[in-house]
Amino acid sequence: PLGTAMAVILPALPAGLGVGHLSGHYLPALIISLAISGLTYALFSLDLVFIHPLFQGLPPNRAVLMETLTGLIEFAAGTWLAFSLCNWLLGTPFRGVEARWLLGGTVASITISHILTYTSFSHAEFKRKLAEEERLRAMATEAELKALKAQINPHFLFNTLNTIAALIHTDPPQAEATVERLAGMFRYVLAGSERGSVPLREELAFVDDYLCIEQARFGEHLRVTRDIAPAALDVSVPGLLLQPLVENAVQHGRRPDGSVDLALHVQRDREAVSITIADQGPGMPVSTPATQITGHGLRNVDERLIRTYGEAYRLAIAANTPAGTRVTLTIPVRVES
C-alpha cells in the first residue's frame, strides 16, 4: 500500500505544484495531477497482470516496442479519463498554457515513474527467473548424481566383490588393494553431489581406481595408455563425469578375443581442456551425432555438459582409427583455487 501511494503521489507533486504556482489554483492542480497519476498507475497495474505476460514470448526488440506503445496508450487514456473526471466534478479552471503545462509536466513525471517501475519490475522478474533456473539446475544435477550412484553401486559392486573373493585365495595383497580402491571410489562418489565440481586430477584418480579394479578382473586383457598434460590437472570439472565414459569403453570396446585397449588423452590450451577416451573395439562405421546418443551413461554425461557449459560443449562421438570408438569432451578452463 505504501509503495502504491508513493508511486501515485511522487509523479503528481511536481506537475501539480508547478501548475498551481503558475495559475494560483493549487488545489485543482494537485487534484488533477493526482487523478492523472492514479489512473495511469491503475492502467499500468492492469498492464502487468493482463498485457505484459502476452509479450514474454516475443523477441526482445518487439517486446520493448509493444511495451512502449502500450505505455503511450496508458498515458493517453489515463490523462483523458482524469481530465474528463475533473471537468465533471470540479470544472477545470485551466486553459491554454496552463493546461499544456499540467499535461506535459504530469505525463513527463508519470513517464519517468512508469519507466523506473517497469525497470524495477523487469529486474526483479529477471532475478526470479535466474534463481528458479538455478534451483532447477541444482535439482537436476542432484537427481543425475543420485541416478549415477544407483547405477554404479549395485552393478560395479557385485562384479568387484566377486573379484575380491577370488583374489583372497590367489593374491591376498591384490585383494586388499582392491578393497582399498573400492572404498576410495565410494567415498568419492558420496562426496560428489556435495562438491559439484572437482580438480581434474581428482577425477582422473577416481578413474584410475576404477581401471585398477577392472584390471584386477580382466588381468592382461585390459591395456590402458595415458597421455595427460600436467597443465590440465588443476582445471575444474563436474564430478563423476569421466567414469561413465571409461566404463562404456571397457564394456563395449572389447575385441573378439575379449581384450580391451583403452587410451586416455588429456590436452589443454589457454581456453579449454580436451579429454578423449578411445578404444579399439568393434566401433562404428560413421560419426554419431550427440543428439543420437542412446546409452544411459553417455546421455547423462552429455546432458550434464550442456546444462553446465551450453550446447557448444556437448559430447563428440566418432569412429576411432584403425578401429573402435572415440569419445571427446571439451571443458572450458576454470582453475580450482
Side-chain angles (χ1 to χ4, degrees), residues 8 47-48 58 90 114 118 150 206 216 222 230 245 301 303 306:
V8 172
D47 173 1
L48 292 181
L58 296 178
L90 302 174
H114 181 96
Y118 179 72
F206 176 70
L222 175 59
L245 305 180
V301 172
E303 290 175 354
I306 295 170

Side-chain angles (χ1 to χ4, degrees), residues 18-68:
V19 175
H21 176 72
L22 289 173
S23 64
H25 300 285
Y26 281 97
L27 184 59
L30 285 172
I31 291 175
I32 294 175
S33 295
L34 287 170
I36 295 174
S37 182
L39 286 168
T40 304
Y41 184 84
L43 291 173
F44 170 67
S45 300
L46 293 173
D47 173 1
L48 292 181
V49 175
F50 297 105
I51 301 177
H52 176 76
L54 301 177
F55 301 150
Q56 296 300 294
L58 296 178
N61 291 339
R62 291 185 61 189
V64 170
L65 176 62
M66 295 302 296
E67 290 286 359
T68 302

Side-chain angles (χ1 to χ4, degrees), residues 54-320:
L54 301 177
F55 301 150
Q56 296 300 294
L58 296 178
N61 291 339
R62 291 185 61 189
V64 170
L65 176 62
M66 295 302 296
E67 290 286 359
T68 302
L69 292 175
T70 303
L72 291 174
I73 294 172
E74 291 165 13
F75 300 146
T79 301
W80 178 79
L81 287 172
F83 266 94
S84 299
L85 182 63
C86 290
N87 273 322
W88 178 62
L89 293 175
L90 302 174
T92 305
F94 309 119
R95 295 291 184 270
V97 175
E98 295 170 359
R100 288 196 294 271
W101 271 91
L102 178 61
L103 218 69
T106 307
V107 172
S109 299
I110 295 171
T111 301
I112 294 172
S113 174
H114 181 96
I115 291 171
L116 291 176
T117 305
Y118 179 72
T119 302
S120 175
F121 173 81
S122 298
H123 179 67
E125 189 175 34
F126 178 72
K127 289 180 65 176
R128 182 189 62 78
K129 287 182 178 179
L130 282 182
E132 180 66 13
E133 289 175 1
E134 184 62 31
R135 185 182 71 84
L136 292 175
R137 277 197 297 267
M139 290 177 60
T141 300
E142 183 179 356
E144 289 168 357
L145 289 173
K146 288 181 179 178
L148 187 57
K149 291 177 187 179
Q151 178 188 3
I152 292 175
N153 291 352
H155 172 75
F156 182 64
L157 183 61
F158 178 79
N159 290 332
T160 304
L161 290 177
N162 281 339
T163 300
I164 293 170
L167 289 173
I168 287 174
H169 302 289
T170 60
D171 191 347
Q174 179 73 356
E176 182 180 355
T178 303
V179 170
E180 291 176 355
R181 290 191 178 96
L182 183 64
M185 284 189 66
F186 277 93
R187 279 195 299 270
Y188 184 86
V189 168
L190 292 173
S193 60
E194 299 177 1
R195 298 182 61 185
S197 62
V198 298
L200 181 58
R201 68 172 71 250
E202 295 185 16
E203 184 72 3
L204 289 173
F206 176 70
V207 169
D208 283 344
D209 283 340
Y210 167 78
L211 288 172
C212 286
I213 291 174
E214 291 292 66
Q215 282 182 317
R217 288 179 57 203
F218 292 106
E220 296 181 354
H221 288 287
L222 175 59
R223 296 176 288 272
V224 181
T225 59
R226 298 172 177 83
D227 177 20
I228 299 172
L233 295 177
D234 290 326
V235 173
S236 176
V237 301
L240 305 177
L241 190 70
L242 299 182
Q243 188 273 342
L245 305 180
V246 174
E247 181 179 15
N248 187 76
V250 171
Q251 291 180 349
H252 301 288
R254 298 182 189 179
R255 292 177 170 177
D257 61 0
S259 64
V260 178
D261 286 287
L262 186 68
L264 179 60
H265 302 280
V266 179
Q267 301 297 323
R268 173 182 173 174
D269 57 26
R270 295 177 62 181
E271 298 181 353
V273 170
S274 175
I275 303 171
T276 299
I277 298 163
D279 63 66
Q280 297 288 331
M284 54 189 68
V286 294
S287 297
T288 299
T291 53
Q292 296 181 12
I293 295 174
T294 56
H296 176 76
L298 294 182
R299 187 172 63 252
N300 181 282
V301 172
D302 187 56
E303 290 175 354
R304 290 181 65 198
L305 287 171
I306 295 170
R307 192 170 286 113
T308 305
Y309 304 114
E311 285 283 343
Y313 292 94
R314 66 185 315 161
L315 284 179
I317 304 176
N320 196 21

